[in-house]
Amino acid sequence: MDDPSVNYESSVTYESSVTVNGQRRSLAGVRAHATALEWLRENGLSGSKEGCAEGECGACAVLVGQADGSGGTAWAAVNACLIPVAALDGQELVTAEGLGTPAALHPVQAGLAAAGGSQCGYCTPGFACSMAAEFYRRDRQPGGDLSDDAPCGERGPNGFDLHALAGNLCRCTGYRPIRDAAYALGAPQAGDELAARRDLPPPRPAATVLEAPDGKFVRPRTLAEAVGLLAENPTAVLIAGSTDWGVEVNLRGRRSPLVLAIDAIGELRTLEFGDRFIEIGAAVPLSEVESALAGRVPLLGDMIPQFASRLIRNRATFGGNLGTGSPIGDSPPALLALDAVVVLASTVGEREVELSDYFTGYRRSVRRPDEILRAIRIPLPLAGTTAFHKIAKRRFDDISSVAVAFAIDVDDGLVTRARIGLGGVAATPLRARATEQALEGQPWAAPAVRRAAAALGDEGTPLDDHRASAAYRKAMLVQAMLKFYTEATGEALS
């Protein structure tokens, strides 16, 4: 990370700017709550569109240069409609206009044109940016599974991961030619400037102080500075990826006198493997967590690909998902099943809270207004048998109606330990304690599992809403337990 000492008195004189398509553009006069999408369009870059204003359609996708962990740059596709442009201060981004020109199309743009992948064209710039991020992925290798039945790994013969486009929606239902264009892409050629850019480090996020009539945006560099500012301004809004706050700003007109961006704080960007626990910094984007874990935590390996879309995961964090306290977030059930502990930091020090004790009510928690969620700790050893089941209307890029995470240990045919996390069935994420008790000490066999399934169906207080009825949620809890057993043992239950 950067030099942790940031003098905010002197940083006020720094001219905030963003490098867009190779050109440095000043942020002078920008509104504190202006999104990157609004700012780009106000500056004549109208390729990025607003479709949903909540990160579901991908029409606003752009590329941001991020550290790749090896000293170079990775081009990550993100939703420009959710990110405050102030959060990109000091950074580098590429829009569809920066990929190519009508006279010299980028390979992605040429591929979309050749395959007929653009119909009305509204979504095309966003698709091009998401495809370009995958085009430039360093470890993309030829060879893949062309089956539509592959659960989370549809890859073309060129190694293109189709889930790179999961956050982009085509309103003309032209998906097949878009897929054909993606699967026909070769490797970047010599002279490709964006490919060459990968060998250089990205610009580091600037320590930012931006004051405007609609509020103040501040990005501190250290945890000490952040908790100090929060102690003085306990009503400040904390953001890292801004995938939740961006929706509040766009759709609900929310504004805050102070937005405190904690995404560049080194103490919140840790990912450490210890003897007793794995620690994940609260501000590490989920895509980076997935890459760094590399399957070491199978339950998170199941959950993360089902969490929204790649566009969202490139910004979203565990800290943000837990900080909002939403009862339908995907990560809380998985972390509850893993017996996770959260580390809360303030000016007086740190404290640990078991996640099962963290949530106190609808979007409420034990975190005090002066505290920042610094990290999540997952105790070791991990459970031997785990699974994550998400029930939603769409297979991917959707909000859960019900989410269930299982983590059990079986020794000599007996369940010695059971942890089950639930989402979408109460005002908070919760542990299915009655079901855990029904399993522990019992044979890992059909009769006990059926009893546990009945107990699971009675957990929580599910409601009828626009996503699902209470009866449906109850039925899905029962089926989740039976499915978990079947997948773990190969023995079919009904």
Side-chain angles (χ1 to χ4, degrees), residues 144-155 162-163 179 183 395-396 483 487:
D145 183 358
L146 289 175
S147 170
D148 287 328
D149 297 326
C152 294
E154 288 116 333
R155 293 179 185 268
L162 197 61
H163 287 274
R179 186 175 99 160
Y183 284 177
R395 188 175 172 204
F396 295 104
K483 181 180 178 182
E487 290 180 340

Side-chain angles (χ1 to χ4, degrees), residues 336-351:
L336 282 166
L338 291 169
D339 263 344
V341 172
V342 296
V343 181
L344 301 172
S346 69
T347 55
V348 298
E350 293 187 350
R351 63 181 178 125

